[in-house]
Amino acid sequence: DVKVTQSSRYLVKRTGEKVFLECVQDMDHENMFWYRQDPGLGLRLIYFSYDVKMKEKGDIPEGYSVSREKKERFSLILESASTNQTSMYLCANFPGTLVRLAGGLANTGELFFGEGSRLTVL
Amino acid sequence: AQTVTQSQPEMSVQEAETVTLSCTYDTSESDYYLFWYKQPPSRQMILVIRQEAYKQQNATENRFSVNFQKAAKSFSLKISDSQLGDAAMYFCAYRNLEGYNKLIFGAGTRLAVHP
């Protein structure tokens, strides 16, 4: 089974602090994602990466940056935390891309999640 | 852009009964994936069931089944013989086959199961 580990389950930071959220996967999966989960809004994509040193903005990248120096590690960075960044942050990954082959798709399309990091910014 | 709508913020069911969670989506694509994910309290999100859009047959996984209506863009989840362990947030999600396979999630439905 894929294991996705997020370094901190709970963090409390002050406004203006720099925050690092770490995510490590133990499988050789190309695609990694950072989502933010808020009540009534579901999960919203912040950033994703499809390869080492590659990154793409998701739907809500403002105020965030990411780093992917190694395939297994994808970090989310809040350069200057603000109270509106108080949220649950979920890391996820996905092995490769969906490819249609004879007889069906090449993989399941399943996304594997970490346990989440609940960040409170005071 | 694709969107996913879950119109039921909260649902409840009696243990051993059946409950249906609703999901609609909007897309101009003809081929895509749909998912239901479960997030138990303080635990990680896990996949419950998935449906490939090109398959007409509804997916089934033990007590969980879907009613996939492609023309109506509807994808509901039925939980039969509900158990206390089914209590969780349930998220409907959509993924294109093209691009980088981003998942688009609905707002979620919180399911309570009463003994």
Side-chain angles (χ1 to χ4, degrees), chain B residues 16 18 21 23 33-34 38 41 44 47 58 60 62 64 66 68-69 80 87 92 95 101-102 109:
Chain B
T18 296
L21 307 185
C23 174
Y33 255 134
L34 294 165
K38 171 185 178 182
Q44 67 195 113
L47 179 67
N58 289 327
T60 299
N62 300 314
F64 298 87
V66 299
F68 173 48
Q69 301 289 328
S80 304
C92 179
R95 165 183 282 148
N101 303 307
K102 297 185 293 182
T109 296

Side-chain angles (χ1 to χ4, degrees), chain A residues 9 33 35 37 40 42-43 45 48 50 90 94 96-98 100 104-105 107-111 113-115, chain B residues 31 33 35 37 39 42-45 47 50 52 54 91 95-97 99-107:
Chain A
R9 292 293 304 274
F33 304 81
Y35 283 91
Q37 181 182 357
L43 278 72
L45 183 63
F48 64 103
Y50 52 92
L90 297 175
F94 175 76
T97 56
L98 288 167
R100 183 171 302 288
L105 292 168
N107 60 49
T108 65
E110 179 177 354
L111 207 62
F113 285 88
E115 291 187 321
Chain B
D31 209 353
Y33 255 134
F35 305 84
Y37 279 87
Q39 186 181 43
S42 300
R43 294 179 62 186
Q44 67 195 113
M45 186 113 51
L47 179 67
R50 62 180 163 262
E52 298 167 26
Y54 75 95
F91 291 95
R95 165 183 282 148
N96 275 340
L97 260 64
Y100 295 117
N101 303 307
K102 297 185 293 182
L103 242 64
I104 300 167
F105 288 86

Side-chain angles (χ1 to χ4, degrees), chain A residues 82-122:
Chain A
S82 63
T83 55
N84 62 12
Q85 292 178 309
T86 292
S87 187
M88 170 72 87
Y89 291 88
L90 297 175
C91 176
N93 69 33
F94 175 76
T97 56
L98 288 167
V99 177
R100 183 171 302 288
L101 302 176
L105 292 168
N107 60 49
T108 65
E110 179 177 354
L111 207 62
F112 297 91
F113 285 88
E115 291 187 321
S117 299
R118 184 167 293 282
L119 172 66
T120 300
V121 183
L122 303 175

Side-chain angles (χ1 to χ4, degrees), chain B residues 12-31:
Chain B
S12 65
V13 63
Q14 293 292 129
E15 200 174 5
E17 297 294 310
T18 296
V19 65
T20 299
L21 307 185
S22 301
C23 174
T24 58
Y25 59 94
D26 188 27
T27 184
S28 58
E29 302 292 329
S30 60
D31 209 353

Side-chain angles (χ1 to χ4, degrees), chain A residues 22-87:
Chain A
E22 299 278 318
C23 176
V24 178
Q25 52 148 330
D26 67 354
M27 297 294 287
D28 196 28
H29 289 175
E30 290 84 354
N31 305 285
M32 297 188 76
F33 304 81
W34 275 106
Y35 283 91
R36 166 177 176 158
Q37 181 182 357
D38 298 289
L41 297 177
L43 278 72
R44 294 177 292 167
L45 183 63
I46 304 171
Y47 266 97
F48 64 103
S49 170
Y50 52 92
D51 203 349
V52 176
K53 297 191 184 295
M54 304 302 288
K55 58 185 178 184
E56 291 284 339
K57 292 180 179 179
D59 300 317
I60 52 164
E62 295 77 20
Y64 303 94
S65 62
V66 291
S67 173
R68 186 126 181 241
E69 296 298 318
K70 294 184 178 181
K71 194 170 189 177
E72 67 271 19
R73 187 179 299 270
F74 190 37
S75 303
L76 180 69
I77 304 159
L78 288 67
E79 292 289 343
S80 178
S82 63
T83 55
N84 62 12
Q85 292 178 309
T86 292
S87 187

